[in-house]
């Protein structure tokens, strides 16, 4: 039985894709079979996981039912991947007459049993793609940059989560809020942490003890075709992501992760 984790925030630039890639590559380090699904039209998850740019089919082909999901899978060093591109931004999925919120669930149903974990990267919006991700997920992780603007809109995210729980997926669990670009020495980061904890309480979750500092290795690793864990395991930000993986490991039934596997 696979465990599906969605990484989501309607604000861009908060570390969604980096967090999704860290989850996929980190979980693969302990020998688990991982499927990554990129629902962001920017298509950066494939780049972060070394999928390359010239892929014959994308997740949109699968969602539209024009290509079997098995034919669209891209193999990477960190598991299989359903890639995305800009065509997803005008998908036309809203015109599907029924069960629109279950398009993703129905599309991947033939292969779900092949994986231990499914990681979904979502667009910076609360749209039909996001709702599809929530509807198929066991857990939700909300990355949030350590700035005031990142707090804006979390009330709307709360409403979406509650709506999905009430209508499509009553078992959706919010694992927590992950603070990124965190600097404990600044008053701003400390203020954001305090406000994030208040917001977390409103959606019955927590702010993770692990907080992600800024690190150049996070940005450099994809350009070198490596995961953050193999590229520079000594980086403070990479160590933060490793701590984060081990913090959530008990909740997602995963053994301890190390950069050596």
């Amino acid at each position: 039985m696979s465990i599906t984790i969605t990484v989501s925030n309607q604000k861009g630039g908060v570390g969604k894709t980096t967090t999704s890639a860290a989850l996929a590559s980190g979980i693969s380090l302990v020998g688990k079979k991982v499927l990554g699904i990129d629902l962001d039209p920017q298509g950066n998850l494939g780049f972060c996981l070394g999928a390359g740019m010239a892929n014959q089919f994308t997740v949109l082909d699968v969602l539209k039912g024009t290509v079997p999901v098995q034919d669209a899978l891209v193999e990477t060093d960190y598991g299989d991947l359903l890639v995305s591109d800009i065509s997803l931004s005008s998908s036309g999925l809203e015109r599907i007459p029924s069960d629109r919120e279950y398009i993703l669930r129905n599309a991947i149903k033939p292969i779900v049993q092949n994986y231990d974990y499914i990681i979904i990267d979502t667009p910076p919006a609360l749209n039909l793609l996001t709702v599809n991700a929530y509807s198929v997920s066991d857990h939700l992780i909300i990355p949030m940059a350590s700035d005031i603007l990142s707090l804006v809109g979390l009330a709307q995210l709360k409403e979406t989560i509650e709506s999905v729980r009430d209508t499509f997926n009553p078992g959706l669990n919010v694992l927590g809020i992950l603070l990124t670009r965190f600097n404990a020495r600044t008053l701003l980061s400390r203020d954001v942490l305090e406000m994030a904890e208040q917001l977390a309480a409103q959606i019955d979750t927590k702010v993770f003890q692990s907080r992600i500092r800024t690190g150049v290795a996070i940005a450099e690793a994809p350009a070198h075709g490596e995961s953050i864990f193999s590229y520079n395991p000594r980086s403070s930000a990479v160590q933060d992501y490793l701590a984060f993986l081990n913090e959530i490991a008990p909740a997602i039934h995963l053994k301890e992760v190390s950069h050596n596997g």
Side-chain angles (χ1 to χ4, degrees), residues 165-195:
R165 281 173 171 164
D166 290 342
T167 313
F168 309 114
N169 184 5
L172 180 63
N173 172 49
V174 183
L175 272 179
I177 296 172
L178 177 66
L179 290 179
T180 61
R181 302 209 301 267
F182 189 79
N183 184 346
R185 292 172 293 184
T186 68
L187 179 61
L188 175 60
S189 283
R190 295 195 295 271
D191 285 346
V192 169
L193 171 59
E194 182 178 344
M195 288 182 279

Side-chain angles (χ1 to χ4, degrees), residues 120-132:
I120 305 176
D121 189 19
T122 56
L126 295 177
N127 56 18
L128 182 58
L129 292 169
T130 307
V131 171
N132 264 267

Side-chain angles (χ1 to χ4, degrees), residues 119-174:
I119 310 299
I120 305 176
D121 189 19
T122 56
L126 295 177
N127 56 18
L128 182 58
L129 292 169
T130 307
V131 171
N132 264 267
Y134 289 9
S135 295
V136 78
S137 293
D138 300 298
H139 302 291
L140 179 65
I141 292 170
I142 304 168
M144 193 180 86
S146 301
D147 59 56
I148 298 300
L149 290 178
S150 291
L151 294 165
V152 178
L154 280 188
Q156 185 184 358
L157 182 63
K158 173 179 178 285
E159 292 176 5
T160 302
I161 292 168
E162 291 175 346
S163 175
V164 169
R165 281 173 171 164
D166 290 342
T167 313
F168 309 114
N169 184 5
L172 180 63
N173 172 49
V174 183

